[in-house]
Amino acid sequence: MIKLLQQQNENIRMQLLVLVVGVLLLLAKFLAFYLTNSNAILTDALESIINVVAGGFSLYSLVLSARPRDLNHPYGHGKIEFVAATLEGSLILVAGGAIILKSVYNLFEPQVISRLDAGIYLIAFSGIVNYIVGYLTERHGNKAKSMVLVAGGKHLKTDAYSTAGILIGLLLLSLTGQVWLDSAVAILFGAFICYTGYRILRVSLAGIMDEADYELLKRIVQVLNENRRENWIDIHNLRVIKYGNTLHIDCHLTVPWYLTVLEAHKEVEAVGMLVREHIDPDIELFIHTDPCVEVSCPVCTKSDCDVRRAPFRKRVEWDLDKVIADKKHGIQNPDSSER
């Protein structure tokens, strides 16, 4: 618990740094737009508004998700992180759309561009800072399993990439004097910004709707299959739900029907220790024990069972399809496949 609290505090400090840097870069970009009147620079400046607004809400979401669970929120407050990422993705989409509309208009109604040299220096500086902060934020978010920090870091890195493209456009404009290049570059990167917003929105909505993380499930199944005990006849109905940086796992564990409550509880604890050791030490498990039935006997490897009602035939190797299904493992007949 202490480790988890320390991690949450580190996440909050990282997001606070992102917010402060975002405000400073926002001022620098609008200064560059004021000096140049460039649509491409305005593109960068508008995205920075999104950075600041989303960064503020993300900071609030991290503070809220760090609160301990209570009677009204028995699973904690971590889901707010998905809401924050959803807001950020939506705002990015809106900003990208606004940039495209304005730039299309200015293709037909060009505006005077001035003092490009000062604008280029300011935008180049902000792009470098954005990439460095974005890289550090995303790396910390992956380490801390925080979707808010990962989304924010990707957004800042995307902002840096778009800034690099905008700089290329501004340099071409400076060399050729073709004003239409300014709007063309802005349209191109407006579309790129929209795509980034869509990707963030897609992932965050998947989290809100508890979409299955198949890669994580496969890792869990592999660990359980490679470290099975005799009393673990099968595991089924496996589900993983993410609340902020906390994972909750539900599953059914089939054990011999004659185990005492204490013995069955020890098997449950063994599953929990195994998953925490190999997957995540802060993971939370809710394991329901099921008694074995006659159909379990042909796949049960327990050698000292005195109440077996059918001979052992073969061990069923657990895979994702078997473990996520709400069905005990068994064999229909000697020639059939496992089910």
Side-chain angles (χ1 to χ4, degrees):
M1 180 59 70
I2 294 176
K3 182 180 177 181
L4 180 60
L5 290 175
Q6 290 175 340
Q7 185 67 72
Q8 290 171 336
N9 288 333
E10 288 178 10
N11 292 350
I12 292 171
R13 285 194 292 269
M14 177 61 74
Q15 186 58 38
L16 183 59
L17 172 64
V18 170
L19 182 59
V20 171
V21 171
V23 171
L24 295 177
L25 293 182
L26 171 65
L27 296 175
K29 289 179 181 181
F30 268 101
L31 175 61
F33 171 65
Y34 174 76
L35 293 174
T36 63
N37 201 33
S38 164
N39 263 337
I41 292 178
L42 177 61
T43 298
D44 230 13
L46 287 176
E47 191 179 8
S48 286
I49 293 178
I50 305 303
N51 287 346
V52 172
V53 173
F57 189 78
S58 296
L59 178 62
Y60 167 73
S61 75
L62 287 173
V63 172
L64 183 60
S65 66
R67 291 181 182 176
R69 65 191 68 189
D70 51 39
L71 291 177
N72 292 328
H73 304 87
Y75 293 98
H77 301 77
K79 280 287 187 182
I80 188 65
E81 291 198 22
F82 292 117
V83 178
T86 300
L87 175 66
E88 182 167 2
S90 301
L91 290 174
I92 292 172
L93 274 173
V94 171
I99 289 164
I100 292 172
L101 288 175
K102 184 180 187 305
S103 300
V104 169
Y105 173 77
N106 286 134
L107 277 176
F108 300 98
E109 296 290 338
Q111 54 190 18
V112 178
I113 307 295
S114 61
R115 300 188 65 179
L116 272 179
D117 52 347
I120 287 173
Y121 292 139
L122 285 169
I123 292 299
F125 171 75
S126 67
I128 293 170
V129 174
N130 254 344
Y131 184 85
I132 293 172
V133 175
Y135 172 79
L136 294 175
T137 303
E138 184 180 8
R139 187 177 69 173
H140 182 85
N142 284 321
K143 182 180 177 182
K145 298 182 177 64
S146 171
M147 184 177 181
V148 165
L149 291 178
V150 171
K154 286 182 176 179
H155 183 187
L156 292 176
K157 287 172 66 178
T158 300
D159 192 12
Y161 297 147
S162 63
T163 296
I166 287 168
L167 278 173
I168 294 172
L170 292 176
L171 289 171
L172 289 174
L173 171 59
S174 178
L175 292 172
T176 65
Q178 298 294 318
V179 178
W180 65 269
L181 282 172
D182 180 56
S183 294
V185 169
I187 291 171
L188 178 64
F189 285 94
F192 181 59
I193 288 168
C194 285
Y195 176 68
T196 301
Y198 162 76
R199 288 180 59 191
I200 293 175
L201 193 60
R202 170 70 181 82
V203 173
S204 59
L205 288 176
I208 290 174
M209 299 178 68
D210 294 324
E211 182 176 297
D213 184 341
Y214 288 112
E215 290 305 314
L216 176 61
L217 285 169
K218 286 178 182 177
R219 283 174 52 208
I220 294 172
V221 172
Q222 181 180 1
V223 167
L224 293 173
N225 191 58
E226 292 174 352
N227 297 274
R228 286 163 65 170
R229 293 161 54 129
E230 272 195 335
N231 284 333
W232 300 354
I233 299 172
D234 73 58
I235 288 180
H236 56 279
N237 204 22
L238 176 67
R239 295 168 294 181
V240 177
I241 302 175
K242 192 172 189 295
Y243 290 87
N245 58 357
T246 303
L247 292 172
H248 299 258
I249 295 181
D250 295 341
C251 69
H252 290 203
L253 172 66
T254 301
V255 297
W257 62 264
Y258 50 81
L259 294 187
T260 65
V261 173
L262 180 60
E263 290 170 336
H265 179 71
K266 287 181 179 179
E267 298 301 331
V268 168
E269 287 294 305
V271 172
M273 289 177 60
L274 183 64
V275 173
R276 291 187 185 98
E277 179 182 352
H278 290 85
I279 304 296
D280 185 341
D282 297 315
I283 212 160
E284 193 172 69
L285 291 99
F286 300 93
I287 302 176
H288 172 79
T289 54
D290 283 344
C292 63
V293 292
E294 185 173 355
V295 72
S296 307
C297 289
V299 299
C300 176
T301 60
K302 192 169 179 62
S303 58
D304 59 348
C305 180
D306 297 327
V307 293
R308 181 182 291 276
R309 301 183 64 183
F312 170 72
R313 291 180 184 166
K314 61 180 176 180
R315 166 176 156 144
V316 173
E317 295 300 321
W318 297 343
D319 58 29
L320 182 62
D321 291 336
K322 293 184 180 72
V323 172
I324 65 174
D326 187 12
K327 182 192 297 185
K328 288 185 174 70
H329 302 160
I331 300 175
Q332 287 182 323
N333 58 65
D335 299 320
S336 70
S337 60
E338 302 156 5
R339 65 174 183 175

